[in-house]
Amino acid sequence: VPAIVTTDAIGDCLERLRAKRPLVHNITNYVVMNFSANVLLAIGASPAMVHAPEEVEEFVAISSALVVNIGTLDTNWIRSMALAAGRAKKAGIPWALDPVGAGATKLRTRTAVELLALSPTALRGNASEIIAVSGAAGHAPKGVDATVSSEQAVEAAQSLAAGRHGVVAATGATDYVVADGRRVALTGGSPLSQTVTGTGCAATALVGAFLGVEPEAVLATACGLAVLKAAAAMAGERGEGPGTFQIALLDALHRVSAADIARHVRIEAG
Amino acid sequence: VPAIVTTDAIGDCLERLRAKRPLVHNITNYVVMNFSANVLLAIGASPAMVHAPEEVEEFVAISSALVVNIGTLDTNWIRSMALAAGRAKKAGIPWALDPVGAGATKLRTRTAVELLALSPTALRGNASEIIAVSGAAGHAPKGVDATVSSEQAVEAAQSLAAGRHGVVAATGATDYVVADGRRVALTGGSPLSQTVTGTGCAATALVGAFLGVEPEAVLATACGLAVLKAAAAMAGERGEGPGTFQIALLDALHRVSAADIARHVRIEAG
Amino acid sequence: VPAIVTTDAIGDCLERLRAKRPLVHNITNYVVMNFSANVLLAIGASPAMVHAPEEVEEFVAISSALVVNIGTLDTNWIRSMALAAGRAKKAGIPWALDPVGAGATKLRTRTAVELLALSPTALRGNASEIIAVSGAAGHAPKGVDATVSSEQAVEAAQSLAAGRHGVVAATGATDYVVADGRRVALTGGSPLSQTVTGTGCAATALVGAFLGVEPEAVLATACGLAVLKAAAAMAGERGEGPGTFQIALLDALHRVSAADIARHVRIEAG
């Protein structure tokens, strides 16, 4: 029976996350490694960045969840991503995929599709990336920013989710979490999120952390996105620009509560 | 006809940058990837860090400008830098080179010289690096800090600029922008810039961003350096040390205006 | 004759560090490269991150100290670490080793042991890592967090130190600096240190910086740990969470004095 996504359910997951401190194995891009690690520590998880092909299978096996992000991919890293994801799949360890820049180059689109074949528990991208991965459009996104709204990616997300068991999230001003026959929408956050690199990657990392404590993937994905939206709204009240916003975001993730989520995020489950 | 570097001309470029949000392709060092991306987002550009040899040529072709920074080079990355720069040159896409640590090791000096042969639109370094690249001196700089003043590098910058079409910038307390028969000096900033890693790399990234909207390379280079000097001066009024200064710098880049540049930066065009 | 570790002796080292600005060669992990560089700049050292096998031996030879950190190791980087450490050993340049994640995977434990054979002047890790390296226990630490207290690692540190000339430090709420027949304990800091990635790596980087100005390794190691504990205590008074704490830590490192260490750190030499 699928869990209903409510503020209470999210608050319960958040408590379990802070109690368990799940070890989250990240194979992510160079740009956000520090920020992702700090985001995961701030929310209460235990991050590790491990990419050597000789150790990723051993490491993912002792982890609660895996996050794979192709932001600064190359052939050596792709090999490690595939090894880790393959092992996660076999061992039943949940994993999240962030197809950064899919659609921008052939290498990125192809890699995203290949990793998708390894059944990520959750796939999170901006609208351009989700559309590119779904094949609904072949246009190149501008850098790694979303240049189309998340609404425009819902159909692509649904077609991606339909053919598989995992969850697909297209994020933006409103985040859409889509699974076979389900759709949850989360609205909130801060426009300053667009001025800081890695907030999308942070969303995927947080989804990974909640997958480490909550088996129901729609709920876990919504948790990751909800805590980030609430923390961004809280940070938006303090930040005077991109720098102070980014720092306030880490502070807010550390103290964010179910009440903050209720105050700052509108959740529509459909 | 070369553009005259004035506060008004810089303000005009800044407006165009924020309107166009140029995609800036960076092949840069691990230390500053996050900071450079945040600096570019703060000023209003759209950064992407892309280094795989399989995709750099495809990616630079959809970009407005390329930034190559050899701070943490190795043979694989050098190959990607050369591929991307070669493609930029062929396609007429402007690109900026940052020869971090040139003079410190043979590998760095040789790589800087090889990349210089691919005609960067702008070359920016500290005094030691510019002197090392010009061959005017063979001494090893101490780390990547400037240990000589930018004044001492003007002659080296002029000899580098004389033999080619691009711009050469030697930065420090005063930044010198040199091209065939031209010299612009910008003075301002904050001494706290020396206490934060990657402020030089940020200067080169900003030069790249302005090259993406302004074809006149002396003006574009001066724009990148002027916004950074103005923002540093603004941040210097708020920062209590290296940490708060770095964060205030990102906030300041987000709001810096032509009026701020007029207030904080002395520009002498000669 | 071993130096006695006192606040005055540490203050004297700190003055020498700020006067000399030692060049510290780092081969460290992607996650903390930016933070480590900023920590080293804040305390007054001159950091450089250099990892290409073609240049590490040349670079370490012009450096005052080397820091090797295996946090995001792979076979290429391990080769560079061994080349640099080997050259440091031959040239009598002090070096510090951080065995991040030793015990978590075979690759990490093996690499830590191999690098230990190259006689680091100081080895610094959390309790799990020190225990794993010493072989006193084969259990896998949870990520790179300490899951056992530093007290529990003192015996392992002593057994590691007994067989060699270098210093071993097991850090945590209390930091233990152990050498043949000596033990220094430093207590202080802030619980917020646990919420920021790379504070352990920063400790090793700071130890490296002090090794660059102080030949007595117990004193140099204690200096690195003492300035970090004092700065963390100072930052803990300002930080409202992980974000503001991290920034306040850089500010505090920039202004930390012998008086601050006396106020915030309890030093027991035994």
Side-chain angles (χ1 to χ4, degrees):
Chain A
V1 179
I4 296 169
V5 177
T6 61
T7 302
D8 280 355
I10 293 171
D12 175 65
C13 290
L14 184 52
E15 258 178 58
R16 277 183 283 135
L17 185 145
R18 285 173 173 155
K20 183 183 172 187
R21 296 185 58 75
L23 176 57
V24 182
H25 177 182
N26 297 268
I27 305 180
T28 190
N29 71 71
Y30 301 122
V31 185
V32 305
M33 278 196 192
N34 183 271
F35 187 56
S36 286
N38 277 330
V39 161
L40 289 168
L41 281 170
I43 199 65
S46 181
M49 275 59 186
V50 174
H51 74 282
E54 292 85 359
E55 64 173 351
V56 288
E57 293 177 281
E58 189 181 349
F59 200 85
V60 77
I62 60 165
S63 299
S64 295
L66 169 71
V67 176
V68 173
N69 175 308
I70 68 169
T72 53
L73 83 182
D74 63 29
T75 47
N76 289 327
W77 283 66
I78 294 168
R79 188 183 152 216
S80 290
M81 292 171 188
L83 281 172
R87 176 63 185 269
K89 186 186 177 186
K90 243 184 238 173
I93 290 161
W95 74 283
L97 175 61
D98 193 325
V100 179
T105 67
K106 288 189 222 51
L107 180 67
R108 282 164 194 267
T109 310
R110 187 173 67 233
T111 302
V113 169
E114 284 169 5
L115 291 170
L116 200 62
L118 294 170
S119 309
T121 318
L123 170 74
R124 189 220 63 87
N126 64 33
S128 298
E129 292 157 354
I130 295 299
I131 290 169
V133 172
S134 76
H139 76 283
K142 186 178 180 186
V144 295
D145 294 346
T147 52
V148 290
S149 76
S150 50
E151 281 73 16
Q152 296 171 264
V154 170
E155 200 183 332
Q158 282 169 329
S159 75
L160 267 172
R164 47 193 292 280
H165 290 294
V167 166
V168 179
T171 61
T174 296
D175 295 345
Y176 293 96
V177 180
V178 170
D180 210 17
R182 300 184 65 194
R183 190 179 103 171
V184 180
L186 302 100
T187 306
S190 165
L192 280 171
S193 289
Q194 299 297 321
T195 67
V196 175
T197 196
T199 48
C201 305
T204 308
L206 288 166
V207 167
F210 281 97
L211 288 172
V213 296
E214 171 52 50
E216 218 283 316
V218 169
L219 175 57
T221 302
C223 284
L225 303 178
V227 294
L228 186 59
K229 275 204 172 310
M234 294 156 74
E237 292 170 358
R238 296 187 171 218
E240 296 171 31
T244 42
F245 173 77
Q246 178 185 5
I247 295 308
L249 184 61
L250 292 171
D251 281 3
L253 282 167
H254 193 56
R255 68 172 191 275
V256 67
S257 67
D260 293 320
I261 294 166
R263 192 175 306 122
H264 292 294
V265 186
R266 185 156 52 89
I267 301 171
E268 293 169 279
Chain B
V1 182
I4 296 170
V5 177
T6 61
T7 302
D8 281 355
I10 294 171
D12 175 65
C13 290
L14 183 54
E15 259 180 58
R16 278 184 281 135
L17 185 146
R18 285 173 174 155
K20 182 183 172 187
R21 297 186 57 77
L23 176 57
V24 182
H25 177 181
N26 297 267
I27 306 180
T28 190
N29 71 72
Y30 301 122
V31 184
V32 305
M33 277 196 193
N34 184 272
F35 187 56
S36 285
N38 277 331
V39 160
L40 288 169
L41 282 169
I43 200 65
S46 180
M49 274 60 185
V50 174
H51 75 281
E54 293 84 0
E55 64 173 351
V56 289
E57 293 177 281
E58 189 182 350
F59 199 85
V60 77
I62 60 166
S63 300
S64 295
L66 169 70
V67 175
V68 173
N69 175 309
I70 68 168
T72 53
L73 82 182
D74 63 29
T75 48
N76 289 327
W77 282 68
I78 294 169
R79 187 182 151 217
S80 291
M81 291 171 188
L83 281 172
R87 177 63 183 270
K89 185 186 176 184
K90 246 185 235 171
I93 290 160
W95 74 283
L97 174 61
D98 193 325
V100 180
T105 67
K106 289 188 220 53
L107 180 67
R108 282 163 193 267
T109 310
R110 187 172 67 233
T111 301
V113 169
E114 284 169 5
L115 291 169
L116 199 64
L118 294 170
S119 309
T121 317
L123 169 74
R124 189 222 63 87
N126 63 33
S128 297
E129 292 157 353
I130 295 300
I131 291 170
V133 173
S134 76
H139 75 283
K142 186 177 179 187
V144 295
D145 294 347
T147 51
V148 289
S149 75
S150 50
E151 282 73 17
Q152 297 171 263
V154 171
E155 199 183 333
Q158 283 169 327
S159 74
L160 268 171
R164 47 193 294 279
H165 290 295
V167 166
V168 179
T171 60
T174 294
D175 294 344
Y176 294 95
V177 180
V178 170
D180 210 15
R182 300 184 65 194
R183 190 178 103 171
V184 179
L186 302 99
T187 306
S190 165
L192 279 171
S193 288
Q194 300 296 321
T195 66
V196 175
T197 197
T199 49
C201 304
T204 308
L206 288 166
V207 166
F210 281 98
L211 288 172
V213 296
E214 171 52 51
E216 218 281 317
V218 169
L219 175 57
T221 303
C223 283
L225 303 179
V227 295
L228 186 58
K229 276 202 171 310
M234 294 156 75
E237 292 170 359
R238 296 187 171 218
E240 296 171 31
T244 43
F245 173 77
Q246 178 185 6
I247 295 308
L249 183 61
L250 292 172
D251 281 4
L253 282 167
H254 194 56
R255 67 173 192 275
V256 67
S257 67
D260 293 320
I261 294 166
R263 192 174 307 122
H264 292 293
V265 186
R266 185 157 52 89
I267 301 172
E268 293 169 278
Chain C
V1 181
I4 297 170
V5 177
T6 61
T7 303
D8 281 355
I10 294 171
D12 174 65
C13 290
L14 183 53
E15 256 179 58
R16 276 183 283 135
L17 185 146
R18 286 173 173 155
K20 182 183 173 186
R21 298 184 57 76
L23 176 57
V24 182
H25 177 183
N26 297 268
I27 305 179
T28 189
N29 71 72
Y30 301 123
V31 184
V32 304
M33 278 196 193
N34 184 272
F35 187 56
S36 285
N38 277 330
V39 160
L40 288 169
L41 281 169
I43 200 65
S46 181
M49 274 60 185
V50 173
H51 75 281
E54 293 84 0
E55 63 173 353
V56 289
E57 292 177 281
E58 189 181 348
F59 199 85
V60 77
I62 60 165
S63 299
S64 296
L66 169 71
V67 175
V68 173
N69 175 307
I70 68 169
T72 53
L73 82 183
D74 64 28
T75 49
N76 289 327
W77 283 66
I78 293 169
R79 187 182 152 217
S80 291
M81 291 170 188
L83 281 172
R87 177 62 183 270
K89 186 186 176 185
K90 244 184 238 172
I93 291 161
W95 74 283
L97 173 61
D98 194 325
V100 179
T105 67
K106 288 187 222 53
L107 180 67
R108 281 163 194 268
T109 311
R110 188 173 65 233
T111 302
V113 169
E114 285 169 5
L115 290 170
L116 200 63
L118 294 170
S119 309
T121 318
L123 169 75
R124 189 222 62 88
N126 64 31
S128 298
E129 292 157 354
I130 295 299
I131 291 170
V133 173
S134 77
H139 76 283
K142 187 179 180 185
V144 294
D145 295 347
T147 52
V148 289
S149 74
S150 50
E151 281 73 17
Q152 297 171 264
V154 170
E155 198 183 334
Q158 283 169 328
S159 75
L160 268 171
R164 46 192 294 278
H165 290 296
V167 165
V168 179
T171 61
T174 295
D175 295 344
Y176 294 95
V177 180
V178 170
D180 210 17
R182 301 183 65 193
R183 191 178 104 172
V184 179
L186 301 100
T187 306
S190 164
L192 279 171
S193 288
Q194 299 297 321
T195 67
V196 175
T197 195
T199 48
C201 305
T204 309
L206 288 166
V207 167
F210 281 97
L211 288 172
V213 295
E214 170 53 51
E216 218 283 316
V218 169
L219 175 58
T221 302
C223 282
L225 304 178
V227 294
L228 186 58
K229 277 204 171 308
M234 293 156 74
E237 292 170 359
R238 297 188 171 218
E240 296 171 31
T244 43
F245 173 77
Q246 178 185 5
I247 296 308
L249 183 61
L250 292 172
D251 281 4
L253 282 167
H254 193 56
R255 68 172 191 276
V256 67
S257 67
D260 293 319
I261 294 166
R263 191 174 308 120
H264 293 293
V265 187
R266 186 157 51 89
I267 301 172
E268 292 169 279

